[in-house]
């Protein structure tokens, strides 16, 4: 099965809704990952592709996307803080709005920093500090600065040190 990914911050354009509807008719397409962060678009995708799974690909708007019918999140932040990202999504999916919002507020600063460049470089910086990988990234991704006080503080906040 295939999840069709629509990541306008990486490609410079959104797949059009009629195009997604046509692609979703293919038997091997299981769903769509929408990384636009646009809630109106999430609703339009659900309407155009009702028999396919919708998953958010945008950490900062995942709860909104879940409220518009998404089944979960393909998350950059979950590479760094998986437990709280999973708890946030599960609370959203269960309709536990107050819990989901509380967890999302806690995640917001970390998500904002990790996704600010639409690049995995910041997450890789954190993971390298935790010993999971080296600090290098492949072109065309620019390397993250060697020192980042904001991320260092966030790592401590989330017990990642």
């Amino acid at each position: 099965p295939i999840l069709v990914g629509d990541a306008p911050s990486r490609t410079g354009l959104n797949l059009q809704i009629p195009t997604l509807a046509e692609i979703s008719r293919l038997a091997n397409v299981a769903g769509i990952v929408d990384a636009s962060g646009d809630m109106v678009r999430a609703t339009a995708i659900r309407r155009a592709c009702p028999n396919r799974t919708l998953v958010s690909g945008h950490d900062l708007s995942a709860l909104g996307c879940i409220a518009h019918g998404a089944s979960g999140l393909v998350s950059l932040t979950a590479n760094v803080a998986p437990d709280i990202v999973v708890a946030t999504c599960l609370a959203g999916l269960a309709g536990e709005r107050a819990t989901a919002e509380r967890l999302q507020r806690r995640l917001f600063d970390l998500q904002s920093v990790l996704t600010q460049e639409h690049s995995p470089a910041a997450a890789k910086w954190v993971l390298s500090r935790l010993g999971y990988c080296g600090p290098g990234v492949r072109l065309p991704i620019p390397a993250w600065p060697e020192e980042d006080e904001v991320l260092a503080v966030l790592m401590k906040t989330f017990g990642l040190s």
Side-chain angles (χ1 to χ4, degrees):
I2 295 171
L3 289 175
V4 176
D6 188 14
S9 65
R10 295 190 189 272
T11 63
L13 57 96
N14 277 323
L15 289 170
Q16 297 299 308
I17 299 298
T19 303
L20 287 171
E22 188 68 27
I23 291 169
S24 76
R25 290 186 187 98
L26 298 171
N28 60 340
V29 171
I32 298 161
V33 178
D34 178 55
S36 70
D38 180 344
M39 298 307 96
V40 173
R41 182 172 173 75
T43 297
I45 292 170
R46 290 297 306 136
R47 288 182 69 189
C49 311
N51 297 321
R52 295 295 181 249
T53 299
L54 173 64
V55 179
S56 175
H58 189 264
D59 288 77
L60 289 164
S61 65
L63 279 182
C65 200
I66 287 169
H68 284 261
S71 298
L73 168 66
V74 174
S75 171
L76 178 63
T77 308
N79 287 284
V80 173
D83 293 343
I84 189 170
V85 172
V86 169
T88 303
C89 289
L90 289 176
L93 289 166
E96 298 169 1
R97 182 176 172 181
T99 299
E101 288 178 0
R102 177 180 51 77
L103 293 168
Q104 178 59 36
R105 281 190 300 275
R106 183 164 179 240
L107 275 171
F108 182 78
D109 290 337
L110 181 62
Q111 289 174 326
S112 295
V113 172
L114 292 178
T115 62
Q116 71 184 346
E117 298 293 327
H118 306 290
S119 160
K124 186 142 188 212
W125 184 92
V126 172
L127 292 171
S128 72
R129 298 303 182 275
L130 296 173
Y132 290 109
C133 61
V137 292
R138 294 183 311 225
L139 292 174
I141 298 170
W144 202 254
E146 191 169 316
E147 297 300 322
D148 187 321
E149 290 181 34
V150 172
L151 264 178
V153 167
L154 286 167
M155 285 179 69
K156 287 179 184 172
T157 299
F158 282 87
L160 302 169
S161 46

